[in-house]
Amino acid sequence: MARGKGEDGPHPVDRHVGRRVCEKRLALGYNQSDLGRALGLTFQQIQKYEKGANRISASKLWDIARFFKVDIGYFFEGLSGAQLAGMAEGGAGYEHEFPATRYTIEIGRLAPQLSSRQQKLALELIRDMADRRDADEA
């Protein structure tokens, strides 16, 4: 069993930190190989980090933060005491089930630049496309 995996898969904090690494990497335009080369790792190891399958050591997280030019706390943003308490009680502290892709990150980055009306129209378009996809799959 890979480190960072319990009965139900990777620990939620490991998944959260890995997702934050993935989001920042994509936002900066790097691929997994680029990050791996900078850290002296393979892209496969970066994949495992990003999925939370392998825990990121403190020293590697420090190296990643320096490479991305962010504070190490960046990777823990979005975690709260209430969420961590919920995880300890067996609940889901937060949801990270949707995949981070260049497209989802870019949509999230560009959406605030739109007017409220444009954001509403974009949301309606995305919902309509998702509903049609669900109907086609049924």
Side-chain angles (χ1 to χ4, degrees), residues 2 11 14 23-24 29 32 38 41 44 52 67 71 77 83-84 90 96 105-106 110 112 121 129-130:
H11 190 279
D14 295 326
E23 289 172 350
K24 190 64 171 176
Q32 291 174 333
L41 301 170
Q44 292 96 333
F67 180 72
D71 184 74
E77 289 175 4
Q83 290 170 324
L84 294 175
H96 286 315
I105 290 171
E106 188 165 3
L110 293 174
L121 289 170
M129 290 189 301

Side-chain angles (χ1 to χ4, degrees), residues 76-93:
F76 298 95
E77 289 175 4
L79 290 176
S80 73
Q83 290 170 324
L84 294 175
M87 289 185 299
E89 296 169 4

